[in-house]
Amino acid sequence: MSFPNYGQALFKPMKQERHEETNVNLYYFSDFERHNAEIAAFHLDRILGFRRIPPVIGRLINVIKEIKEVTTDHKLVTTFFNSPVGNTCFHGHCSYYCSTEHAVCGRPIKLEGSLAVMLPDLSLAPRHSWRSPWRRSYSRTNQAEWETNSNYCDTVKQTPPYDRGTRLVDVIDMSILDFLMSNMDRHHYETFEKFGNDTFLIHLDNGRAFGRHSKDEPSILAPLVQCCRVRRSTLLRLRLLSLPPYRLSDVMRASLSRDPLAEVAPLLTEPHLSALDRRLETVMQAIQDCLQQHQHHSDVIYDDIMDYPQA
């Protein structure tokens, strides 16, 4: 979406109800993108102290006045239609899911969606897209190497850019985020080229998170479990969010309540919030297992806050 002040944002429309879980028969690469997942991921990323997801906010859009009547995309206008119950729908033109069977519909003309701030144009701030070392096979039959080789991280540690700097612990931070929100769709990540390897990861495209609250996916934590490495700042934040006064579910509930769409309904249902606490316990146990497997804590904990008392 483009605005009169030349600003731009990426709009993801509502496709699933808040309470709906991902169909158990769907593969992770066939799942829907959820607008509330994009919003919740931004809040969770910020709560964890990462701040690597561009700002995302919920909006209620009038599909007639704010899309159909103002768009300059004439092909898009031709895809608008009224559903059998009188809701205004459209589907646009694209390679996947652009058909009347996968249309996006207002109620009757109001449509929920997430608006994410667009990153600077590539001509101003070039980005590099990196294939994740722990990328899934995106196949119904084949497995990736990391799924069958428990020593896979030894190879990653010797491979640039993971052989120096903070890139490896950056990826492990990202895996912790993804495990907490059950995002199996992290095939690539991006960085700004200007800073070389001395940079941070950009956690883009989180729409397939928060699909199921009733099941956890331990394989998402493979980078942490296989490498046994974690930032001390991340560990301290996770410990804090494990304490009753700062319970992760409570902090998320309070944070999400400030989003405009919270007036319509909570962005995450209570089962999803409870799942965050359960998964956090799993992460803490994984770190504890790593500490027990190594003689020195420094082999596990990457000390990124040298001036802070040991913990």
Side-chain angles (χ1 to χ4, degrees):
M1 287 191 168
S2 299
F3 304 104
N5 63 356
Y6 302 103
Q8 289 185 313
L10 179 66
F11 179 73
K12 285 193 177 181
M14 178 177 181
K15 288 189 175 181
Q16 276 188 313
E17 299 289 344
R18 308 267 207 282
H19 65 274
E20 286 185 274
E21 280 198 285
T22 296
N23 188 315
V24 295
N25 293 308
L26 285 180
Y27 284 93
Y28 54 88
F29 48 82
S30 301
D31 196 7
F32 283 116
E33 300 254 350
R34 285 169 285 276
H35 72 301
N36 60 316
E38 291 285 1
I39 300 166
F42 165 67
H43 285 258
L44 179 60
D45 186 76
R46 188 174 56 173
I47 289 169
L48 293 174
F50 299 154
R51 298 178 182 272
R52 298 168 196 161
I53 296 180
V56 185
I57 194 168
R59 284 287 185 262
L60 199 59
I61 302 293
N62 183 316
V63 297
I64 299 295
K65 292 184 178 181
E66 297 180 273
I67 298 181
K68 185 178 181 181
E69 292 182 356
V70 298
T71 184
T72 56
D73 185 344
H74 300 296
K75 288 185 178 180
L76 174 63
V77 174
T78 63
T79 70
F80 275 76
F81 65 95
N82 287 331
S83 74
V85 293
N87 291 331
T88 301
C89 307
F90 65 96
H91 56 74
H93 292 277
C94 63
S95 301
Y96 303 101
Y97 304 121
C98 284
S99 64
T100 53
E101 292 80 8
H102 299 97
V104 174
C105 299
R107 297 182 178 175
I109 60 173
K110 292 295 183 70
L111 174 66
E112 285 189 29
S114 63
L115 275 179
V117 171
M118 293 285 279
L119 293 173
D121 189 86
L122 291 174
S123 63
L124 299 174
R127 302 191 302 274
H128 186 89
S129 178
W130 302 83
R131 180 188 174 107
S132 170
W134 282 271
R135 182 186 186 274
R136 296 179 184 277
S137 65
Y138 286 79
S139 166
R140 297 181 179 88
T141 56
N142 299 327
Q143 287 186 303
E145 183 182 351
W146 62 267
E147 295 180 277
T148 59
N149 180 6
S150 59
N151 297 318
Y152 177 75
C153 187
D154 293 340
T155 303
V156 175
K157 288 178 179 178
Q158 298 173 22
T159 306
Y162 307 99
D163 57 345
R164 65 180 182 86
T166 63
R167 185 63 66 92
L168 182 61
V169 288
D170 286 341
V171 170
I172 292 171
D173 278 348
M174 187 168 60
S175 74
I176 292 173
L177 169 71
D178 284 335
F179 175 73
L180 291 173
M181 60 185 185
S182 196
N183 178 25
M184 300 174 66
D185 192 35
R186 188 70 68 187
H187 44 83
H188 286 77
Y189 63 86
E190 295 189 14
T191 60
F192 287 111
E193 289 185 354
K194 181 178 178 64
F195 306 110
N197 199 36
D198 301 317
T199 186
F200 56 91
L201 312 190
I202 309 172
H203 300 164
L204 297 175
D205 195 9
N206 304 286
R208 285 181 171 148
F210 295 105
R212 297 189 67 192
H213 53 72
S214 58
K215 182 181 183 298
D216 301 339
E217 182 49 59
S219 65
I220 301 174
L221 272 185
L224 171 63
V225 174
Q226 292 179 355
C227 298
C228 273
R229 200 80 167 129
V230 66
R231 269 191 173 90
R232 188 147 70 99
S233 59
T234 299
L235 176 57
L236 291 174
R237 179 60 62 97
L238 295 176
R239 284 179 176 173
L240 180 66
L241 295 169
S242 299
L243 300 176
Y246 307 100
R247 186 176 287 111
L248 178 55
S249 58
D250 293 336
V251 178
M252 270 291 283
R253 186 185 298 105
S255 185
L256 289 172
S257 69
R258 301 171 62 185
D259 187 89
L261 287 184
E263 296 182 3
V264 179
L267 270 300
L268 288 181
T269 62
E270 285 302 314
H272 275 298
L273 293 171
S274 298
L276 286 172
D277 294 330
R278 181 182 69 241
R279 291 167 185 159
L280 179 54
E281 291 181 7
T282 301
V283 175
M284 297 303 295
Q285 185 59 56
I287 297 173
Q288 185 60 36
D289 292 344
C290 285
L291 291 171
Q292 292 176 351
Q293 293 168 19
H294 292 76
Q295 183 177 0
H296 304 290
H297 282 192
S298 59
D299 294 335
V300 176
I301 300 174
Y302 176 84
D303 200 345
D304 60 332
I305 40 177
M306 303 291 289
D307 59 343
Y308 191 84
Q310 288 294 321

